[in-house]
């Protein structure tokens, strides 16, 4: 019973953490919040910025056009530690539930 509760709790907490990180990263705010390109002059409008969601690490990817020559620099937000925690909770919870299913089947 303890393994079941721990497995469900880990899986649910991990999924909530992944969802929260992904929803935060999906906001179209590269132009306002970054991540910014170090040392580059940002364009006067958000037209020179494109955004995407990254799942490894969970965060936002911003591509900045930093010169008239069309040079694009890509920077990424997100933490590998937080991503590892989130994916570890999901995977660990799922593994605990699968292991519990196999032990119940063997009985």
């Amino acid at each position: 019973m303890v393994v079941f509760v721990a497995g469900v709790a880990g899986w649910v907490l991990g999924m909530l953490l992944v969802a929260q990180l992904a929803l935060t990263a999906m906001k179209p705010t590269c132009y306002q919040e970054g991540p910014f390109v170090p040392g580059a002059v940002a364009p006067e409008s958000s037209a020179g910025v494109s955004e995407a969601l990254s799942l490894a690490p969970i965060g936002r990817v911003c591509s900045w056009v930093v010169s008239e020559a069309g040079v694009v620099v890509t920077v990424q937000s997100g933490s590998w530690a937080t991503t590892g925690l989130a994916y570890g909770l999901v995977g660990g919870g799922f593994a605990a539930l699968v292991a519990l299913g196999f032990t119940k089947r063997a009985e």
Side-chain angles (χ1 to χ4, degrees):
M1 183 66 171
V2 173
V3 173
F4 176 76
V5 172
V8 170
W11 187 80
V12 169
L13 286 173
M15 290 301 287
L16 288 173
L17 182 57
V18 168
Q20 187 269 331
L21 291 169
L23 287 173
T24 301
M26 286 175 55
K27 293 179 184 176
T29 56
C30 277
Y31 184 71
Q32 297 156 346
E33 296 178 7
F36 300 104
V37 177
V41 178
E44 288 81 34
S45 70
S46 62
V49 182
S50 64
E51 304 160 351
L53 174 65
S54 169
L55 294 178
I58 301 171
R60 183 182 310 134
V61 177
C62 300
S63 296
W64 297 81
V65 178
V66 293
S67 73
E68 285 92 30
V71 175
V72 177
V73 177
T74 302
V75 289
Q76 184 171 11
S77 69
S79 163
W80 280 107
T82 307
T83 300
L85 175 66
Y87 288 157
L89 284 171
V90 171
F94 184 73
L97 293 175
V98 168
L100 183 64
F102 281 124
T103 58
K104 290 291 184 188
R105 221 171 191 208
E107 293 175 357

